[in-house]
Amino acid sequence: MNRRILLLVILLLSFGADALAQERLVTKGNEKYQNYSFSPAIDIYQKVLDKGYMTQDLLQRLGNAYYFNADYQKAAEVYGILIENYDKGVGPEYFFRYSQCTRSLGEYQRADDLMVKFTEMTNGGDKRAVTFKSEKEYMAEIDKNSGRYNIAPFEYNTQYSEFAPSLYKQGLLFSSDRDTGNLARYRHTWNSKDFLDLFKVNIDSASNNAVRKMGNVNSRMHESTSITTKDGNTLYFTRNNFIDDKYVRDEEGVVRLKIFRAQLDNGVWKNLEELPFNSDSYSVAHPALSPDEKTLYFASDMPGSSGGSDIYKIAINDDGSFGTPTNLGGTINTEARETFPYVTSEEILYFSSDGHPGLGGLDVFATKIKDQKYDQKIINVGRPVNSKKDDFTFVFTEETRKGYFASNRDGGLGSDDIYSFVESKPLVFECVQQISGTVRDKISNDLLVGATVKVIDENNEEILSTITDTDGNFTLTLDCNQGNFVRAMMQGYVPAEEYLTKSDGKPRIMDFYLEREKVTAGFGDDLAKLLQLSTIYFDFDKYNIRPDAEVEIQKVIAAMDKYPSLKIKANSHTDSRGRDKYNLWLSQKRAESTVNYMISKGIAADRLTKEGFGETRLVNRCDDGVRCSAIEHELNRRSEFIILE
């Protein structure tokens, strides 16, 4: 008995000591995690997990550490364990990241199911949820944009990381952690790799000797993502917060990213300065220039950002100073990561994101920003530039249709590799929608020839206009990436307008019915003339209402519905052919048929009277015995709707 008790005590002590040891390891791992030292944090967390010690917090941090190191396979495994064991307590962000991981593994249905859960948890209020719901068929959209690039590996890739290509004179700048002679103590603990430096290469060279380090721009910390002015004399680049050979940490001990600027002087980069809108408290990184070089675009997680990082812009003044950073807004930026901007000469913004619907990880997206409009359609550039992994730092020139990007996709030499590409088919940014229709008089239903149809944007600016042709028809082609007002106008009529929201570009038929500004009529006027009615025909020797006559009478009914006090008299006339007495009887029956038809359609009988005049009121010379054409006789076979009140 005593031995059993002693054994139990020993086991309990052993278990307690082991648990205490695991807690100490987790505490150490948390310290590494908080300092963005994800690689050692992964080692610690995984070791603890492998021993069977598991908490929600540990799984969340381990999953995130894998996620931010782009190991989506491992991240998916950990997030799966997290949600399986702690479903009720797990926040929506983990469902989103789990969805991104499964998408990068090609498990698109699983990814969509997780996004449905994410949407439910955020009540549809998160931009990513809204986008997912509105672009449920995103795979079909990606497929439509795919196949437009012919890609090839960059010939200067190594077993290390190469990324952040930047066009520079006749060559290329890029960032790499290739062996630079740094000692292990200078390796970055985010991913346990050497720190990044900037390199330049003459891309036309046949020798690897063409690759050179950027000299005094590099430090013993990270340098990456660069852009130069067109003359090659000003360089903007990203570096860790590293001043006077010392790195600077924020209050949490994190070394943030900053953008620096340097000037080329006799082949040497001088006057190195950090930009004034940098901060020790948040990161500012990945510079890009507008075509006129008066605006700098960059990524940041500064206060006011909606996600892990947003894309911003800032004005570059003539004296080299800067304006105030401006967030590009909710169409481009989501609650996830938007980063690595690049702007082409045609004002197309390319950027990477894991917040917009994609194939997995970071995908490359594009949007038109002409006239600094940042609310246009966001387009996934498709395969093969985008893959299941991270695809980023896309640069491109429309003049040659050539460019470069980086990816950590399978099959590369290093963890990140640069790929060159040639665009074989331009990306279609315009959402073109054709609208067509007619403009008519609302009462008479007659086509209005020469009516003006205008398209007005949401800023009340006229975009284009046309006039109706001889058949009253019009056709217009709109940009359906934005909302538009379509307005029909004609002198003497009240304009009519309809609003078109953003759409998928399917053709649309729009018919306008304009009301007259003023209808001038009085006692004794013929409403048939005012409404420009066509002749109301009856079959020979018949007085029943024909279908074509119904259309014209309906116009009179519409007018009486619009003006409830209107009272009319229906007069019917014949031509001179036939016996006078018979014509008088026939016209009376036709007038009766007309009134009875109107009563059957809801017009009160006390608002209608009738009379047949036979051939007693001819409008021309075609009396008995006079030779007249069929057209001349037809003018006498008429109906009138005389206004009585």
Side-chain angles (χ1 to χ4, degrees), residues 145-166:
N145 294 325
S146 294
R148 297 177 303 99
Y149 301 100
N150 300 315
I151 72 171
F154 184 51
E155 62 180 312
Y156 300 107
N157 286 333
T158 68
Q159 61 182 332
Y160 300 93
S161 285
E162 280 80 30
F163 70 101
S166 176

Side-chain angles (χ1 to χ4, degrees), residues 283-296:
S283 289
V284 175
H286 316 316
L289 287 168
S290 62
D292 62 7
E293 300 183 347
K294 294 182 178 180
T295 303
L296 184 74

Side-chain angles (χ1 to χ4, degrees), residues 100-147:
Q100 289 296 101
C101 292
T102 53
R103 183 167 288 118
S104 72
L105 300 176
E107 300 173 12
Y108 296 116
Q109 186 56 56
R110 175 62 172 153
D112 285 353
D113 292 343
L114 288 165
M115 280 301 296
V116 170
K117 178 67 174 178
F118 172 79
T119 301
E120 293 172 352
M121 296 177 72
T122 58
N123 295 318
D126 189 288
K127 169 67 186 301
R128 293 165 292 179
V130 173
T131 303
F132 172 74
K133 290 176 68 176
S134 64
E135 299 182 12
K136 205 67 176 293
E137 303 301 323
Y138 67 91
M139 288 302 298
E141 182 73 16
I142 292 173
D143 288 341
K144 184 176 70 174
N145 294 325
S146 294

Side-chain angles (χ1 to χ4, degrees), residues 465-480:
S465 67
T466 188
I467 61 173
T468 55
D469 61 19
T470 54
D471 295 319
N473 298 318
F474 70 91
T475 301
L476 289 166
T477 301
L478 308 181
D479 177 3
C480 50

Side-chain angles (χ1 to χ4, degrees), residues 406-613:
S407 177
N408 65 347
R409 64 188 61 190
D410 297 336
L413 290 177
S415 54
D416 293 319
D417 289 289
I418 295 174
Y419 295 83
S420 64
F421 67 85
V422 177
E423 185 185 66
S424 59
K425 181 181 177 182
L427 187 63
V428 179
F429 290 93
E430 291 81 5
C431 176
V432 177
Q433 181 181 32
Q434 186 178 81
I435 62 170
S436 60
T438 58
V439 181
R440 296 173 179 269
D441 185 300
K442 188 173 183 178
I443 296 177
S444 70
N445 203 44
D446 286 325
L447 295 165
L448 297 180
V449 177
T452 299
V453 182
K454 295 183 177 182
V455 179
I456 300 167
D457 67 15
E458 293 176 326
N459 296 320
N460 205 33
E461 295 181 3
E462 182 180 326
I463 300 173
L464 55 104
S465 67
T466 188
I467 61 173
T468 55
D469 61 19
T470 54
D471 295 319
N473 298 318
F474 70 91
T475 301
L476 289 166
T477 301
L478 308 181
D479 177 3
C480 50
N481 282 326
Q482 63 184 31
N484 293 292
F485 296 91
V486 183
R487 184 180 301 166
M489 309 167 63
M490 191 166 185
Q491 186 174 4
Y493 288 85
V494 178
E497 185 175 86
E498 186 173 345
Y499 177 70
L500 288 178
T501 60
K502 296 179 182 180
S503 73
D504 57 5
K506 293 180 180 179
R508 173 82 180 271
I509 296 176
M510 299 177 67
D511 293 323
F512 290 96
Y513 297 86
L514 304 186
E515 292 187 21
R516 298 187 185 189
E517 289 181 345
K518 186 177 182 181
V519 178
T520 303
F523 178 79
D525 289 332
D526 184 359
L527 191 61
K529 291 181 179 179
L530 293 173
L531 299 181
Q532 298 178 335
L533 298 187
S534 299
T535 302
I536 297 176
Y537 288 106
F538 293 85
D539 289 330
F540 179 73
D541 205 25
K542 296 287 189 342
Y543 47 83
N544 58 292
I545 303 297
R546 292 182 1 178
D548 56 344
E550 283 190 70
V551 174
E552 302 306 309
I553 298 174
Q554 282 291 346
K555 298 174 185 178
V556 179
I557 293 172
M560 297 192 74
D561 285 338
K562 184 174 179 61
Y563 304 104
S565 62
L566 180 63
K567 294 183 179 181
I568 64 172
K569 177 185 177 185
N571 293 341
S572 180
H573 305 271
T574 68
D575 60 33
S576 62
R577 292 175 295 183
R579 292 177 297 164
D580 293 354
K581 185 175 181 181
Y582 178 78
N583 283 341
L584 184 64
W585 174 83
L586 183 61
S587 64
Q588 182 65 30
K589 297 299 289 184
R590 288 175 174 175
E592 289 177 2
S593 295
T594 300
V595 168
N596 290 338
Y597 175 83
M598 295 175 69
I599 292 172
S600 72
K601 299 301 180 182
I603 302 300
D606 61 0
R607 298 176 61 192
L608 300 168
T609 59
K610 58 189 180 297
E611 186 174 357
F613 291 92

Side-chain angles (χ1 to χ4, degrees), residues 175-365:
S175 185
S176 175
D177 65 351
R178 60 181 60 193
D179 190 3
T180 60
N182 285 341
L183 298 177
R185 68 174 183 271
Y186 293 141
R187 290 187 173 181
H188 188 37
T189 54
W190 178 297
N191 55 14
S192 293
K193 296 182 181 296
D194 285 343
F195 281 95
L196 297 161
D197 283 329
L198 286 176
F199 293 80
K200 61 181 178 180
V201 60
N202 181 352
I203 54 178
D204 295 326
S205 173
S207 170
N208 280 331
N209 293 329
V211 178
R212 294 283 189 273
K213 287 185 67 173
M214 287 287 286
N216 60 318
V217 168
N218 290 313
S219 69
R220 60 185 180 89
M221 297 294 283
H222 281 307
E223 283 82 28
S224 69
T225 49
S226 61
I227 190 76
T228 61
T229 52
K230 295 172 185 175
D231 60 13
N233 292 328
T234 302
L235 170 71
Y236 297 89
F237 66 97
T238 304
R239 175 191 279 177
N240 282 121
N241 193 358
F242 187 73
I243 303 295
D244 297 329
D245 206 34
K246 296 179 181 179
Y247 53 83
V248 181
R249 297 180 182 272
D250 65 9
E251 60 276 7
E252 297 179 355
V254 177
V255 180
R256 297 289 181 173
L257 299 175
K258 292 187 174 183
I259 296 178
F260 290 77
R261 179 169 59 182
Q263 304 294 333
L264 190 63
D265 185 3
N266 292 322
V268 178
W269 292 107
K270 296 182 179 180
N271 303 322
L272 184 66
E273 60 175 335
E274 72 162 279
L275 301 189
F277 52 92
N278 288 328
S279 173
D280 294 338
S281 301
Y282 52 80
S283 289
V284 175
H286 316 316
L289 287 168
S290 62
D292 62 7
E293 300 183 347
K294 294 182 178 180
T295 303
L296 184 74
Y297 294 89
F298 61 93
S300 178
D301 59 351
M302 64 176 60
S305 299
S306 55
S309 62
D310 282 6
I311 297 177
Y312 289 78
K313 69 171 182 176
I314 192 168
I316 304 175
N317 300 321
D318 292 339
D319 61 359
S321 62
F322 293 88
T324 302
T326 302
N327 191 296
L328 295 195
T331 300
I332 292 173
N333 294 315
T334 70
E335 289 83 351
R337 295 178 292 176
E338 279 69 47
T339 186
F340 302 119
Y342 179 77
V343 182
T344 70
S345 61
E346 294 181 1
E347 295 186 273
I348 305 301
L349 170 65
Y350 290 90
F351 64 97
S352 289
S353 170
D354 60 3
H356 295 279
L359 297 174
L362 292 169
D363 271 20
V364 177
F365 295 84

